[in-house]
Amino acid sequence: MATGTGSLAVSEWLSSLHLEQYADTFQAQGRALLSQCRDLTAWDLEQLGVGPPGHQRRILASLQRAFSEGSGDDAPEVRPVPRPRSKQRRPAGHSEVGGASQDRPPPPIPPRVTLNRPPVRFPPMPMFALLHVYRLESFNQSVYLPVSSLPPNAPSVDPSLPPSPVIKMGWLDKNPPQGSMIYQRRWVKLDADYLRYFDNEKEVYSKRIISTSSIASVSNIGEQKFEVVTHSRTFVFRAESDLERNGWVSVLQDAVGDPRCRRESKGSLLSLSATNHEMQGYLELRGLRSKLYVVLCNDKVFLYKNQEDYKLGIGITFIDMNVGNVKDTDRRSFDLTTPYRIFSFMAETDQLKEQWVEAMRESIAEALSNYEVATKIWSEESNGFCADCGATKPEWAAINLCVVFCKRCAGQHRGLGPSISKVRSLKMDKKVWTEELIQLFMLLGNARANLFWAANVPPSEALLPSSCTEDRRRFITAKYREGKYRRYHQLFGNQQELDNALCINVQSNDVLETLSLVFCGADVNCYTGNPEYPTPIALAQSFNQKLQVEFLSQNRNTGECVRRFVVPYISSCKFLHYMAPPSITHNGFLFKTASVGRPITERKAKEEFSRRWCTLNDGHFNYYESDKNSTPNGVLKMKEIVCLAVNPPEKHGYNHTFEIYSDSERLYLFGADNLETVKEWVKSITKSFIPASAEDLLNRDFERIGKLRYKDGLNLQSPKLGWFALVGSTLHACFEDSEGEEAIHLRKLQELSIQQENEVLVLVERGRTLYIEGERKLDFLSWSAAIQQAAGSSGDTLSQQQLTEADIPVIVDRCIHYITQCGLTSEGIYRKSGVNSKIAALLEMFRRDARSVRLKEGEHQVDDVSNVLKRFFRDVEGGIFTSQASQQWLSTAAVTDESAKIAQYQFLLGSLPRVNKATLQALVNHLYCVQRFADHNQMNLHNLAIVFGPSLFQTDGKDYNAGRVVEELIEHYVAIFNVNEQQLQKQLDEITALGSGDFICTVYLEEKKQSAEQSVKIPATMTAAELTFEILDRRKISLREKDYWCCFEVNEKEETERPLHYQEKVLPVLQSLGTDSYLVVKKHFSMEAMLVYLASKVDVSKHGMMKFREERSLLGLGISGFHDRYFILTSTSLRLYKEVRVRFWELGPKTNRPEKEWPVKCLKVYQGVKKKLRPPTCWGLTVVYESERQEKPEKQQWYLCCDTQTEMREWFATFMSIQVRGHAWGGRARGRPCSICGYLFPHWTNMYVN
Ligand SMILES: [Zn+2]
């Protein structure tokens, strides 16, 4: 037939489509005959100037009909052919968007006005529609369609085509309209797009249609009732039972709900912004006194009471045009006939009627062609139901997986990505539906494809048309991405055999076997061993197996991906041995309190519990009034449980209790007198909600178990799901991506805090920071409290304290560190008593949360801290030597033979528990260092022993035996603890050199980013030059002449930076750094200019104008904004003058009082001024003044702006040179090569060395 029609002239053909206006363009492009148009695509048409999608569709559909293979019929099918459309039909300014024709525009969804939802663009109303503004008398009164009979000559269209898969339907009572008391019984249907209600279940046209996207919320309101709230109206429905009501609420909430899904689906299925209204306006419907607002959109006609309702998304009904027929009846009237009803419309004018008729005919033509593929594919019976959830008339398919599914499942298939599921529409993606592909789908069908894909679906995991989005996601991911339910091929796991089998099988017509082979790992692109037909596709072609070729081609690029998902599972054995969890059944009596929406902190007396018969079955936990009742008082689905916590005994009236947290933020408390009963229940319940991948957690004696979202080092973008169990002070975790479980020792955390307004729990371990997110409030609160408690000290023994990585109690570590820093030279350290109240307070702080205690010089006195340490050891349960062994330690002191004594001490040391041993070593090491400074602190071996003996042995001190042990431990420290003497010497050297300890600090190279981080130990003596040198040395950066590498102090908040002078000590700078500041080593680009300037200067001082601004004080005093001031900087002070005109420098400062004056040595000058202050130029300086007076420390900050960069550099250089002069200016760092080597401020050294 192709030859017959192919020779048709393009002008004739286009004219038959009523698109003759394009004939010239087609011919100009060399397409004079229909045969020359065969390969046209939508894109080509776009290029040819055929813009309107309706025109493109008409042309493409005609081409497809004309050239479709296998159609033995010569004559093209007779279809309603629309007449040319007139131009004014489209609203002005409404332009066609290229490519929009690829996707069917969604049904007309009005703009959303509800908060928290993305607004939808609302196209401007066409002019003609604006001319007809009608208002109905009563706004709240419903408009119903007039009663009508069946049309006399119903068109022969399959009437069984429903619009969209129904999620749920049933009888409900609808609240009466205003003024009436009687509920109206309505048949209610919910699909993905609409909630509709009807007079009865046979009715095709609804009384009311509410777009799900216009529903703001759905909620229970008691007495079996629920309300559906839209922006403008609230609909109340009543179900026959609470159970039925809950069912409606949950499916509605899901269909409406999940804003996340909305976002995901945007631009794919529910591309809301692409609305394409073909025609809209008021029409009169015969039998109804009022006019209706009619909207024609694609293959549907929607009826609204008025335009307002249209905007609100609340309509009366819609008419599917695939069953419609349009007939001209009168001057201004026309009939839209369907098998169920005749709609007789009347337009305002003749012309408008013409336009409506034409538009509707076009819509019918389109609707019919839309159903072409779907009708064929549905002719295989099982394709009439979604392969995943069973919804009717599914309109989507995965062309590589060979399954047909509904719109809601299609959303999840899309989520898998095209490498797993190639999703296409049966109605819109007409081009992909080749005859072979359609045949393939008819041959396999959902039933046969599911023999493979769904061979092992546990009933508890199966989907229903009403399943929620989350369940769909889980199921579809498991089914197609993980292949969890598939029927394993017997060759599974044996690649060679699978490939062989594939090559043999593609020669036959058994496509199902091919599908099974491919999705069990056979390689679609494997080598067949036959050079003539090297691939399975070529082989299938040579055997003329068209459907095999089709299937293989669709999976040419997906095969690899599917295998990628298969392989790791095989290797981990998780997959091979995976079995669906047996449906756990358990029942018995438990005592239950009413569920609550907040943590239970108070004790619940026995009277507050009620006895309930509880059953756990098939993923549902039901509780009943008694074991005689058949209707449960309540039900908890296992998949809704997010956490289970076992309370400590006797927390409540019943000795043993446990709590269950649901994802809807409810907390259920259950109890029993008998521990065994509770254990049994906990075991059964946890087994039913913990996934197989986290099953290991169940073997632990947990206090709390559940799921939480987390982020960690490699994954800070999107949170992942982890399963956690808390056991004592250890948090066991099964992370999403890693095999097996990991343990986090909470008492050893470096930091534990709650951030972002209590929504994130931050756990800092060495080498990892874990962020646990508060996805839900209730269980997160309880997890946070439990983790914080577990991370604190749990008792009075050493090992129950918060510990460092080295297993030393944090309190001991902090005190030792502090004394080493600040107290080694303090006279009588550890002998002097501190202030009792301060010691008690500090000890209490350490007991509460040692990790959070920061000891600071000036704030804490060394004698208080030293006494905290002593008191801690005196009080610690069992003592450091343990109560069992302390007598042996004491008796060792009496051993006379020295080597025997040391051996005995070593033996006892080896027998100590890990934490005690580590702590003892740290303490003795510390005391060893203390007595080495006896010259300063007067605490020699003996004095220390007298002090520490009774504390460590917890004795009264009358007997010196305890002291002797301590004395000997210190004296023989090296021998007993097997200490490396070289290291000990190094430690002593460091302490000696530092005088006050050291800091570890993060310094960046060139810029603040993780890859540029360096951790540097900062001894007290280290200068900026040494630090710079160290960083450059580590990074192997060679120094070049005129590279002025320098260490900067950067304050991010103030947007300022200050190059440290090369002789400046780093430690004090570090200690004063706020959290907004950091150190960075980088090149100082203006250094050379500054040096040149300084070299040219005769006088040390500088004066001139600058713009000045004060930091406004809390009282709001002081001047705001920048103002001109005159400044004089001398070797001692910086003065500010208000009067500029007086040439005061000639008169001398005495005659002219400055407005302000500051000593230079108290100033710190930073480059930059924060932008928030709107500096008038970008050459600003921020000056910080800190008074030296201890009793009344004072800090001020103000800002200076210069007119040019040069000026700013000069001021800065002058400040620096003056400040440097005031300090000891020796030029060389101790133990370092001469600093003239060029790595820092090379010339300065020369200039200022006196
Ligand atoms: Zn489905």
Side-chain angles (χ1 to χ4, degrees), residues 165 385-391 394 404-410 463-465 472 476:
F385 303 91
C386 172
D388 298 325
C389 76
V404 185
F405 37 77
C406 71
K407 183 173 170 179
R408 299 182 82 209
C409 290
L463 288 186
L464 295 169
R472 276 175 213 267
I476 288 167

Side-chain angles (χ1 to χ4, degrees), residues 754-818:
I754 296 189
Q755 284 183 4
Q756 288 175 17
E757 287 153 7
N758 292 353
E759 277 164 0
V760 182
L761 191 62
V762 186
L763 290 79
V764 184
E765 275 185 297
R766 214 168 93 175
R768 165 162 66 185
T769 302
L770 187 68
Y771 302 86
I772 292 180
E773 304 213 324
E775 192 185 8
R776 296 157 305 266
K777 202 162 188 175
L778 191 58
D779 64 311
F780 177 71
L781 276 177
S782 69
W783 271 108
S784 301
I787 287 175
Q788 281 178 311
Q789 198 186 0
S793 63
S794 60
D796 297 325
T797 69
L798 273 184
S799 61
Q800 286 170 319
Q801 308 303 310
Q802 292 178 0
L803 300 174
T804 67
E805 276 295 313
D807 279 330
I808 299 163
V810 172
I811 176 171
V812 174
D813 186 66
R814 295 262 157 97
C815 291
I816 288 179
H817 189 76
Y818 184 73

Side-chain angles (χ1 to χ4, degrees), residues 167-406:
I167 295 169
K168 187 171 172 69
M169 55 187 171
W171 286 104
L172 285 173
D173 289 332
K174 194 193 141 294
N175 69 324
Q178 270 182 334
S180 168
M181 299 296 286
I182 305 153
Y183 271 81
Q184 298 161 323
R185 204 162 156 70
R186 296 285 179 248
W187 180 251
V188 185
K189 268 189 199 176
L190 174 71
D191 61 47
D193 298 320
Y194 306 108
L195 175 68
R196 293 177 294 164
Y197 57 80
F198 304 79
D199 268 336
N200 58 58
E201 72 260 56
K202 293 192 186 69
E203 189 56 67
V204 173
Y205 298 110
S206 58
K207 296 184 101 62
R208 179 62 81 201
I209 172 168
I210 304 156
S211 153
T212 51
S213 64
S214 70
I215 298 175
S217 69
V218 179
S219 44
N220 280 343
I221 51 169
E223 295 168 353
Q224 296 126 48
K225 287 193 278 190
F226 66 96
E227 59 179 20
V228 175
V229 181
T230 72
H231 173 62
S232 59
R233 253 167 270 182
T234 300
F235 300 86
V236 176
F237 295 95
R238 188 173 65 190
E240 306 221 317
S241 69
D242 277 339
L243 203 66
E244 174 69 3
R245 187 264 319 264
N246 294 347
W248 274 102
V249 170
S250 101
V251 293
L252 268 164
Q253 282 175 339
D254 190 59
V256 170
D258 209 83
R260 280 174 303 179
C261 298
R262 230 167 247 288
R263 263 205 309 281
E264 279 166 24
S265 61
K266 209 174 169 192
S268 54
L269 289 175
L270 281 171
S271 152
L272 298 182
S273 56
T275 32
N276 176 18
H277 305 249
E278 307 258 327
M279 184 148 182
Q280 53 192 323
Y282 280 97
L283 283 176
E284 203 172 296
L285 183 62
R286 196 193 298 159
L288 195 71
R289 267 166 301 166
S290 54
K291 296 195 177 187
L292 295 180
Y293 195 73
V294 182
V295 176
L296 174 63
C297 181
N298 302 311
D299 54 358
K300 286 185 177 61
V301 167
F302 291 82
L303 304 183
Y304 297 88
K305 199 171 74 178
N306 51 42
Q307 198 181 339
E308 284 76 9
D309 273 11
Y310 160 60
K311 288 183 190 167
L312 296 170
I314 300 169
I316 300 166
T317 194
F318 64 76
I319 304 155
D320 267 315
M321 296 302 271
N322 64 315
V323 296
N325 192 20
V326 179
K327 217 168 72 192
D328 244 323
T329 50
D330 189 9
R331 213 163 52 84
R332 278 162 45 215
S333 311
F334 64 97
D335 284 354
L336 171 59
T337 311
T338 75
Y340 324 104
R341 183 194 281 273
I342 298 169
F343 297 87
S344 296
F345 292 110
M346 184 155 79
E348 272 285 279
T349 64
D350 294 8
Q351 201 194 6
L352 274 172
K353 186 205 71 177
E354 290 283 310
Q355 289 167 11
W356 275 108
V357 168
E358 184 219 323
M360 284 191 182
R361 282 185 176 151
E362 188 175 325
S363 163
I364 289 168
E366 189 181 327
L368 285 173
S369 80
N370 279 349
Y371 273 92
E372 226 167 18
V373 173
T375 314
K376 274 190 204 158
I377 286 182
W378 290 339
S379 67
E380 151 57 41
E381 202 185 335
S382 66
N383 287 341
F385 303 91
C386 172
D388 298 325
C389 76
T392 52
K393 300 296 172 197
E395 292 181 3
W396 298 82
I399 54 174
N400 61 319
L401 308 174
C402 300
V403 284
V404 185
F405 37 77
C406 71

Side-chain angles (χ1 to χ4, degrees), residues 21 55 97 401 443-444 500 504 538 657 706 725 1042 1053 1075 1246:
Q21 65 265 42
H55 295 188
V97 182
L401 308 174
L443 173 73
L444 286 176
N500 276 346
I504 294 164
T657 52
K1042 303 217 170 177
K1053 193 175 138 219
T1075 48
N1246 277 344

